[in-house]
Amino acid sequence: MPMVLRNRLIALLLRIAIFALYVTSVGVYIPQFGSFWVAMCSFSVEMGIAGMVLVGLEIVFNLIDLRHGIHGVPAGPYMPIGLPINVFCILSGTLYFTSLLPINAAPGGTYALLFHLTLIIGSLVDWILLDEKGTVRFVNGFVAQLYPILFFIFAYFRTVIWPSVPVYNGFMYPLPFLDYTNPNIVGHAFGFFGLTLGSVSLAIFINNLLAGRYGFILKAED
């Protein structure tokens, strides 16, 4: 039996709680950049908004699905899109704590802590407990790389179009290792795409594992 909460009402309440956390944390974190448009240069902020929209749509689907009764698997998003969004939210939150915060390349403080913990915990709860399992193929992980590629292109051309507008604290790039003047930029770029592709691929594997898609492996071992 795929791992998913089989109570539509509890799922709805959990999603409302996650959505409230998203709205609150996004609302208090964006002003820390000083400008909405500067904040939108941040990978974390973009994914926070994407995660908020995703959970908001899930609430709508969940409400409609209540007509089938309280008990049962709650309606959710189209997982080839929903799973990468959750993964990128978790990844961006992790990158903040491991790469940006130590060098003060993004706003810190309580608001940032709330925001990035929401990205990680909210996405994990939504994916593991509430979302459908076993419907995402590995090819979807490659398609999902379209967003990191577009983000990488945007991060470069932003500095060309607005050369005097830093993202935060003098840093021109939303992720400092994407700086094209760095002699290791090619390696960093491959590392970034490898990280995003690897994270989504691992999540797809876990998603299928939780759905019982790899039961034949366990049978073979028996």
Side-chain angles (χ1 to χ4, degrees):
M1 183 68 67
M3 181 178 176
V4 62
L5 184 65
R6 303 181 68 83
N7 186 302
R8 296 185 180 97
L9 181 58
I10 294 178
L12 176 62
L13 295 176
L14 281 173
R15 281 169 167 162
I16 290 174
I18 294 172
F19 183 73
L21 276 175
Y22 266 118
V23 171
T24 302
S25 60
V26 169
V28 298
Y29 184 59
I30 286 180
Q32 307 307 307
F33 287 86
S35 164
F36 173 79
W37 297 112
V38 172
M40 286 301 295
C41 298
S42 165
F43 187 75
S44 293
V45 171
E46 291 180 10
M47 294 321 305
I49 293 175
M52 181 174 63
V53 171
L54 177 68
V55 177
L57 290 174
E58 289 176 354
I59 290 173
V60 175
F61 300 151
N62 208 152
L63 278 169
I64 296 173
D65 200 36
L66 279 176
R67 71 183 189 277
H68 298 301
I70 292 177
H71 299 289
V73 177
Y78 178 61
M79 286 305 292
I81 295 177
L83 182 58
I85 289 177
N86 275 328
V87 172
F88 290 151
C89 282
I90 296 168
L91 181 61
S92 59
T94 303
L95 283 174
Y96 171 79
F97 286 110
T98 58
S99 300
L100 301 181
L101 186 60
I103 62 174
N104 196 27
T110 304
Y111 294 151
L113 182 66
L114 171 64
F115 174 74
H116 290 94
L117 284 178
T118 297
L119 288 182
I120 297 172
I121 298 174
S123 296
L124 277 173
V125 171
D126 181 48
W127 166 37
I128 299 298
L129 294 183
L130 307 176
D131 286 344
E132 184 181 22
K133 306 296 187 298
T135 58
V136 185
R137 298 180 297 171
F138 283 102
V139 67
N140 299 128
F142 287 93
V143 175
Q145 294 311 296
L146 179 62
Y147 174 76
I149 290 172
L150 291 175
F151 180 81
F152 189 90
I153 294 172
F154 161 75
Y156 170 73
F157 281 102
R158 193 198 76 85
T159 61
V160 176
I161 300 172
W162 296 287
S164 60
V165 182
V167 176
Y168 181 75
N169 199 28
F171 287 92
M172 294 301 298
Y173 295 87
L175 295 172
F177 55 79
L178 298 182
D179 186 346
Y180 78 95
T181 63
N182 189 312
N184 299 318
I185 180 61
V186 175
H188 288 167
F190 277 105
F192 178 62
F193 294 131
L195 182 62
T196 55
L197 178 60
S199 299
V200 174
S201 298
L202 178 61
I204 292 173
F205 174 78
I206 295 173
N207 203 58
N208 291 338
L209 188 66
L210 293 175
R213 292 279 296 275
Y214 303 130
F216 66 90
I217 298 178
L218 299 177
K219 291 180 182 179
E221 292 178 352
D222 292 340

